[in-house]
Amino acid sequence: MQNNGSGRIAYIDYLRVVACFLVMLVHASENFYGTDNSVGLASNCSMLLNESNRFWVAFYDGFVARTCVPLFMIASAFLLVPMKPGTGMGSFYKKRFARILPPWIFFSLLYCLLPLLWGGMSIEQSLADLKHLPFNFPSMAGHLWFMYPLVSLYLIIPVVSPWLEKASAKEELIFLGIFGLSTFIPWIHRFLYPEIWGECFWNGFTMLWYCSGYLGYLVMAHYIRVHLDWSRRRRAITGALCFLAGSAFTGWAFWHAGTPGILIETPKLEWAWEFCMPNVVIAAFGAFLLFSCIERKESPAFISGLSRLTFGMYLMHMFFLVPIAGLVIGGNPAEPRLPVWLAIPTIAVATYVCCALATRLLAFLPKSKWFVGC
């Protein structure tokens, strides 16, 4: 691990820049199998219109980009765990939540109100979203689901940090083994039994509940940072093999489940795409190892500057992605204005550039950290 004079870790900057783009690549892909393209995200039901869409969505969304969310989780935990000596729970919460809550609230309100200006939603829908806002994300901002597990991760860090400071490599591996077992639960639910290990209508907390979910990525990040003393060559080989194996299965799973022209429930089509499933965990572990092979002492100013903008870019990107996708697709996902293999990355790249420019301009405003986080 190498960091520059400001305390930044160079390869984490690269990771954030790439992971932010992968988020947009995922959402660009969803326009080619979702049945409601007005919000640019997959809806409850999906339909692949032809074999080309089937293959390229599986490739871009499944194989290339499915690790985006785990990479952000690992990066956050990598930088924050264990907490700095002398940092209490209150001061940790104050610092972390002061950075993410105001921009999150600001953009949540924008997604409830701003589409009214161009007729993107009705007054009734806007009011419904505002009423819904204290409980969940707005209807046009499904990507903000990510903020809730991120907050959960921040809440648990002061609790697990003291243990991680004292835990041995073997103890952390035991926990990661239990976490690994928990990643099979969605498949057990789908293919074997709907309720397992204590689940029933009066108890939704399975036996492995407290060792599952994104907490596993937090411990993984700490284990990599503190205990994984591998050579660059070993990290590169292992990382490449893990990423290719996990991502290949993830892409194949979507391709296998989808049949062009058949309406299918989206969870059935995305049966192996949850972010805490074995294949995605393996791919994310591999991807992170590959990024750790970047041994620059500091990232170029362009990369470090772009890395600082990624939170604001993530928050706003649906405002750009939806109209850009509309222009590229031209109202017909089966025959977009560009071939599908080119349309998906074009939507993602154009969205990324627009978000980077917009966030950079907003960052010049006074108190910009309160609405774009930088």
Side-chain angles (χ1 to χ4, degrees):
M1 179 189 68
Q2 297 187 18
N3 59 303
N4 57 28
S6 64
R8 301 185 68 87
I9 300 172
Y11 72 80
I12 297 295
D13 283 334
Y14 282 96
L15 183 152
R16 282 176 164 166
V17 168
V18 173
C20 186
F21 173 74
L22 295 182
V23 170
M24 299 177 195
L25 191 63
V26 164
H27 294 152
S29 302
E30 290 184 9
N31 287 275
F32 292 90
Y33 68 96
T35 55
D36 182 7
N37 291 326
S38 63
V39 295
L41 296 171
S43 51
N44 293 334
C45 288
S46 298
M47 180 181 289
L48 292 160
L49 298 178
N50 53 46
E51 285 291 347
S52 180
N53 289 15
R54 179 190 188 191
F55 176 82
W56 290 111
V57 170
F59 175 74
Y60 285 121
D61 198 339
F63 180 84
V64 176
R66 192 46 40 177
T67 57
C68 57
V69 168
L71 285 176
F72 270 125
M73 291 295 190
I74 295 172
S76 294
F78 193 89
L79 296 172
L80 296 176
V81 179
M83 297 190 304
K84 294 179 181 179
T87 302
M89 179 180 283
S91 59
F92 177 83
Y93 288 165
K94 182 179 179 180
K95 182 176 181 180
R96 301 317 307 172
F97 292 137
R99 179 176 183 271
I100 67 169
L101 290 183
W104 177 20
I105 294 170
F106 174 72
F107 273 94
S108 294
L109 290 170
L110 284 186
Y111 282 108
C112 293
L113 300 171
L114 203 57
L116 289 170
L117 298 180
W118 58 81
M121 67 165 45
S122 65
I123 291 287
E124 292 75 16
Q125 184 62 60
S126 176
L127 292 174
D129 280 1
L130 287 170
K131 291 179 181 178
H132 185 66
L133 201 55
F135 306 102
N136 219 329
F137 49 81
S139 61
M140 295 192 70
H143 65 293
L144 294 183
W145 73 268
F146 169 79
M147 296 303 301
Y148 298 89
L150 181 65
V151 167
S152 178
L153 206 64
Y154 286 172
L155 289 173
I156 202 67
I157 281 176
V159 179
V160 301
S161 186
W163 172 71
L164 288 171
E165 288 186 72
K166 300 176 182 179
S168 65
K170 182 179 179 180
E171 289 170 335
E172 290 188 35
L173 280 176
I174 291 173
F175 179 90
L176 289 173
I178 299 171
F179 164 64
L181 179 61
S182 77
T183 63
F184 288 90
I185 291 177
W187 290 347
I188 297 174
H189 281 160
R190 182 171 299 280
F191 300 115
L192 296 176
Y193 296 96
E195 295 177 334
I196 62 169
W197 301 334
E199 291 177 312
C200 49
F201 75 84
W202 64 86
N203 175 51
F205 302 96
T206 176
M207 177 178 67
L208 299 183
W209 181 271
Y210 298 105
C211 299
S212 62
Y214 296 101
L215 176 60
Y217 285 116
L218 186 154
V219 178
M220 179 190 294
H222 184 268
Y223 181 84
I224 292 171
R225 182 170 190 169
V226 176
H227 301 297
L228 200 66
D229 187 21
W230 288 356
S231 67
R232 185 173 184 269
R233 182 174 183 273
R234 185 178 180 184
R235 280 180 282 132
I237 294 173
T238 305
L241 291 175
C242 287
F243 176 78
L244 290 173
S247 294
F249 182 88
T250 308
W252 169 84
F254 181 94
W255 180 89
H256 176 73
T259 302
I262 301 297
L263 192 67
I264 182 174
E265 294 178 16
T266 301
K268 292 182 179 179
L269 183 61
E270 298 180 350
W271 66 275
W273 278 20
E274 292 182 28
F275 296 113
C276 293
M277 282 184 167
N279 48 301
V280 180
V281 171
I282 290 169
F285 172 71
F288 191 83
L289 288 185
L290 290 175
F291 276 104
S292 74
C293 294
I294 300 173
E295 295 185 338
R296 298 183 62 126
K297 290 185 178 181
E298 59 183 76
S299 53
F302 173 76
I303 295 296
S304 61
L306 196 54
S307 174
R308 293 184 179 94
L309 302 178
T310 52
F311 184 50
M313 293 167 63
Y314 152 77
L315 290 171
M316 73 171 62
H317 79 272
M318 293 308 298
F319 282 129
F320 290 101
L321 189 143
V322 173
I324 290 171
L327 289 173
V328 173
I329 293 171
N332 186 4
E335 296 182 7
R337 292 191 170 103
L338 296 174
V340 178
W341 68 266
L342 182 58
I344 293 174
T346 297
I347 295 168
V349 169
T351 302
Y352 194 86
V353 172
C354 289
C355 290
L357 292 174
T359 308
R360 186 70 186 95
L361 290 174
L362 289 171
F364 285 114
L365 297 175
K367 308 293 184 180
S368 62
K369 69 177 182 177
W370 298 112
F371 49 92
V372 290
C374 61

